[in-house]
Amino acid sequence: MALIVHKYGGTSMGSTERIANVAKRVAKWARAGHQMVVVPSAMSGETNRLLGLAKELAPEKLTDACLREMDMLASTGEQVSVGLLSLALQAEGVPAVSYAGWQVPIKTSNAYTKARIESIDEERVRRDLAAGKVVIITGFQGVDADGNITTLGRGGSDTSAVAVAAALKASECLIYTDVDGVYTTDPRVAPKARRMQTVSFEEMLEMASLGSKVLQIRSVEFAGKYKVPVRVLSSFTPWDIDINEEARSGTLITFEEDEKMEKALVSGIAFSRDEAKISVLGVPDKPGIAYQILGAVAAANIEVDVIIQNLSKDGKTDFSFTVHRNDHARALDLLKNEVLPRLGEAQVVSDTHICKVSIVGIGMRSHVGVAAKMFQTLSEEGINIQMISTSEIKTSVVIDEKYMELAVRTLHRAFGLDQTASSPA
Amino acid sequence: MALIVHKYGGTSMGSTERIANVAKRVAKWARAGHQMVVVPSAMSGETNRLLGLAKELAPEKLTDACLREMDMLASTGEQVSVGLLSLALQAEGVPAVSYAGWQVPIKTSNAYTKARIESIDEERVRRDLAAGKVVIITGFQGVDADGNITTLGRGGSDTSAVAVAAALKASECLIYTDVDGVYTTDPRVAPKARRMQTVSFEEMLEMASLGSKVLQIRSVEFAGKYKVPVRVLSSFTPWDIDINEEARSGTLITFEEDEKMEKALVSGIAFSRDEAKISVLGVPDKPGIAYQILGAVAAANIEVDVIIQNLSKDGKTDFSFTVHRNDHARALDLLKNEVLPRLGEAQVVSDTHICKVSIVGIGMRSHVGVAAKMFQTLSEEGINIQMISTSEIKTSVVIDEKYMELAVRTLHRAFGLDQTASSPA
């Protein structure tokens, strides 16, 4: 018997029929003797419907007072969900009680539409759990110090669930999603991609920020900070699947590098096709040059990813970076019209046909030669590396986008990630 | 400059376009220098939609825990309304802030789905009003002592508005509805029915309970208890109607019998076609007989309206009463099978083709002969009176239902209620 948190997304809550199925699944866990807390999202489409109504009436320029009302509106979606799920559980004969964020309370900052959770009072929830009730808490929302309703922004229900699990010191937080776990890479690119049984939260952070959109990155940060074991698993399995099988399914995000963790140096291959490369060539190699170039880009609210500065030669250096492909034209304009005129003979070249491929693995920390093996593997396939960027548990390269699938599949095989008959997953 | 409460029903809030019109009307009042509090209902159809979803999932037998969830669900309808109206006001350039019942807070009993308002904290609202904001408060709902959301039952938004007006000692509570006021009788029955400029709350209570369904009867009781001036007026006038004209329109429910009140002995003619008459004839005239008959009826949860016991003759008496027509067959069965066997030779007769017509007027208190004039008027038209019942400000007669329209129109004229060219309304 354990204290377990379940989180269900909008698709799982998308109709009364689906909500009835969620209730049956939760009831199964409760009947197995677990103390259950459930954090559902709004029914799919509901948040958009509400914000659509708001858009028809709101002024063009949204003030803080307007954002406050947006949160009043949007928070009702989850309140409907918790009420319905509680009724469905009671129809199953399972005692249940629902709470809006303010009733727990889940206290947040007052940054409407993107508030951060500050504290969760566990007392009321514990009392209900002790009384044998399933406790259902609205995702996505809380209340600020002045009693105003706040929301956490899109995907905030993941964060709510992890935060509730942290506050209650839950044994595990199960996030039911439309994928059955975290994969070594995207199976659509590398058909031999394998579901990981476990992944460290640091790897998960790198994977998430590199495009594996399984979990909101903030929820992963939260899980890391409070060491909440989080399991990502499929909401598409039948509700009456054997509970022990269900409890082992999906991917567990862990915080301990213990024996149970997979021993691979590299855990997964991430990639992104959304970037463009911009190079400023022949700039004077003197202090402040990076700021002159990147400061202007940042001031225009353009996010920069990989940044490389080459060794200087004859007092000149080359400077390259990547931006989101949507920002490419704007960044280029900015450099040509505002930055270059101050840099003498420098010139700008750019390339939108690039991609970024990364190997991610907590094992890289303690092993040398992992990056070298990556470079060798790509070289053997004749793939030219344009840029390299490394962090403690990740090595990224920028290459021509036409080689992306080849690079991902080759690296996946080279680092021993391919699915085999004896694969544990 | 005054503190004014506006209440808008679901039809007025039925679409974003209509909400924008409500915002324009409220903005007009705010710009005229009034401190404004607005209590809107849920968008029309929304409460039924939510309860429909609940019905699909809830167990057949609704426990108190289920009713609690119904209130979680149903209360979201008004929360959406207040958020949207606040945004629309801000689009008009009028500062506004919305509150759910629990945020004010409006404290209620814990009787889910039919809670009663116990107290309203005015501090937060007053602070916002002093800061020049329009305050928008959800109708229909509040919060119990344990922080659970409660609703007041159907039509509860009228009660919310009146209660908020009472707490704030508002100058007036304006209830915008789909009728333009309270009439001397139903214009569909008596085309010369006239809108009353004022009506006493006692008369309004009698009119409401007799079928003039303009306001929830609980809101009228509340208004009477706290002496809140309530005005019923039309939501169909253009929002940009002259504010002074609007402020004088509709019907004001008053609490003082001052010079301004209309001097009529009779203020209105109410009627009901929903009743049936049952008579028990030849019962022994002895103590406990009324209880023997009506106790059984009440025990079966059948509501009894008019009750008449005739003078006894030869130790026997006749006993008549009216019940709702839907309860007629059940009441008759009950009497024949359970009550009569214990009453010796008594027999039961009944009539479903009756109606009740009442004259209502606070002036009746201090004037004799009003009832006599009613009887005379009906007699002159050849209408036979079957039963008579009187209260301080009302006289009701039961007559054959085929005479109903004739009786209403004749009494309306006889008591000087007919609309004339010089009529003030």
Side-chain angles (χ1 to χ4, degrees), chain A residues 35 52 59 65 84 91 108 115 131 148 151 166 211 232 238 294 340 354 388 408 411-412:
Chain A
Q35 291 192 318
L84 291 176
T108 73
N148 300 303
T151 71
V232 175
L294 293 175
L340 245 61
I354 57 135
I388 298 171
V408 169
L411 291 169
H412 198 266

Side-chain angles (χ1 to χ4, degrees), chain A residues 413-425:
Chain A
R413 186 174 55 245
F415 283 103
L417 299 175
D418 274 8
Q419 199 166 21
T420 63
S422 65
S423 157

Side-chain angles (χ1 to χ4, degrees), chain A residues 16 56-57 65-66 68-69 72-73 75-76 79-80 86 90-91 97-99 102-103 124 146-149, chain B residues 16 56-57 65-66 68-69 72-73 75-76 79-80 86 90-91 97-99 102-103 124 146-149:
Chain A
T16 49
E56 287 179 45
L57 288 168
C66 294
R68 179 187 179 282
E69 302 301 340
M72 276 292 270
L73 269 176
S75 65
T76 62
Q79 192 171 322
V80 168
S86 179
Q90 291 175 50
V97 62
S98 76
Y99 293 117
W102 64 267
Q103 289 177 308
R124 192 166 184 172
D146 294 324
N148 300 303
I149 293 177
Chain B
T16 48
E56 287 179 44
L57 289 169
C66 295
R68 180 187 179 281
E69 302 301 341
M72 277 292 269
L73 270 174
S75 64
T76 62
Q79 192 170 323
V80 168
S86 180
Q90 291 175 49
V97 62
S98 76
Y99 293 117
W102 63 266
Q103 290 178 306
R124 192 164 184 174
D146 294 325
N148 300 301
I149 294 177

Side-chain angles (χ1 to χ4, degrees), chain B residues 312-334:
Chain B
S312 79
K313 192 177 152 187
D314 305 329
K316 302 270 184 181
T317 188
D318 300 337
F319 202 92
S320 296
F321 56 92
T322 63
V323 296
H324 194 282
R325 215 171 273 189
N326 293 341
D327 291 327
H328 168 254
R330 205 154 56 91
L332 215 56
D333 271 2
L334 186 75

Side-chain angles (χ1 to χ4, degrees), chain B residues 358-377:
Chain B
S358 310
I359 56 174
V360 176
I362 212 159
M364 292 165 70
R365 267 187 194 150
S366 44
H367 287 78
V368 293
V370 176
K373 183 173 176 181
M374 181 191 200
F375 307 151
Q376 182 196 359
T377 304

Side-chain angles (χ1 to χ4, degrees), chain B residues 43-190:
Chain B
M43 295 173 78
S44 55
E46 182 64 5
T47 307
N48 284 338
R49 183 184 75 87
L50 293 165
L51 295 179
L53 290 173
K55 207 175 164 187
E56 287 179 44
L57 289 169
E60 258 184 59
K61 189 173 152 27
L62 294 178
T63 61
D64 206 47
C66 295
L67 296 178
R68 180 187 179 281
E69 302 301 341
M70 296 294 212
D71 282 357
M72 277 292 269
L73 270 174
S75 64
T76 62
E78 283 73 20
Q79 192 170 323
V80 168
S81 283
V82 297
L84 291 175
L85 182 55
S86 180
L87 286 169
L89 273 162
Q90 291 175 49
E92 288 291 318
V94 174
V97 62
S98 76
Y99 293 117
W102 63 266
Q103 290 178 306
V104 173
I106 295 177
K107 290 193 179 150
T108 73
S109 69
N110 65 359
Y112 300 120
T113 74
K114 50 179 194 295
R116 295 203 163 245
I117 295 176
E118 289 175 348
S119 69
I120 296 181
D121 188 339
E122 53 178 310
E123 191 191 319
R124 192 164 184 174
V125 177
R126 284 217 185 273
R127 205 167 50 222
D128 289 323
L129 290 174
K133 292 180 193 167
V134 171
V135 179
I136 306 165
I137 301 175
T138 53
F140 179 62
Q141 65 196 263
V143 63
D144 75 8
D146 294 325
N148 300 301
I149 294 177
T150 55
T151 70
L152 310 180
R154 288 280 159 153
S157 290
D158 285 348
T159 308
S160 299
V162 172
V164 164
L168 295 169
K169 297 177 186 62
S171 301
E172 213 170 270
C173 177
L174 277 62
I175 313 256
Y176 288 84
T177 70
D178 52 4
V179 296
D180 68 351
V182 181
Y183 276 72
T184 49
T185 194
D186 188 334
R188 285 167 300 184
V189 168

Side-chain angles (χ1 to χ4, degrees), chain A residues 226-300:
Chain A
Y226 293 100
K227 301 209 182 304
V228 181
V230 171
R231 184 177 295 274
V232 175
L233 70 173
S234 172
S235 61
F236 296 137
T237 56
W239 68 265
D240 55 356
I241 181 178
D242 176 75
I243 192 169
N244 293 311
E245 187 182 331
E246 187 172 357
R248 284 190 310 264
S249 70
T251 299
L252 180 66
I253 305 169
T254 60
F255 306 92
E256 292 167 31
E257 303 175 37
D258 61 16
E259 288 308 302
K260 275 176 276 173
M261 284 195 58
E262 294 173 60
K263 289 291 189 186
L265 295 177
V266 171
S267 300
I269 315 291
F271 55 86
S272 161
R273 218 192 294 254
D274 297 331
E275 299 189 39
K277 182 180 73 167
I278 296 177
S279 298
V280 187
L281 307 176
V283 298
D285 185 12
K286 60 181 185 186
I289 195 71
Y291 177 72
Q292 265 193 50
I293 295 173
L294 293 175
V297 174

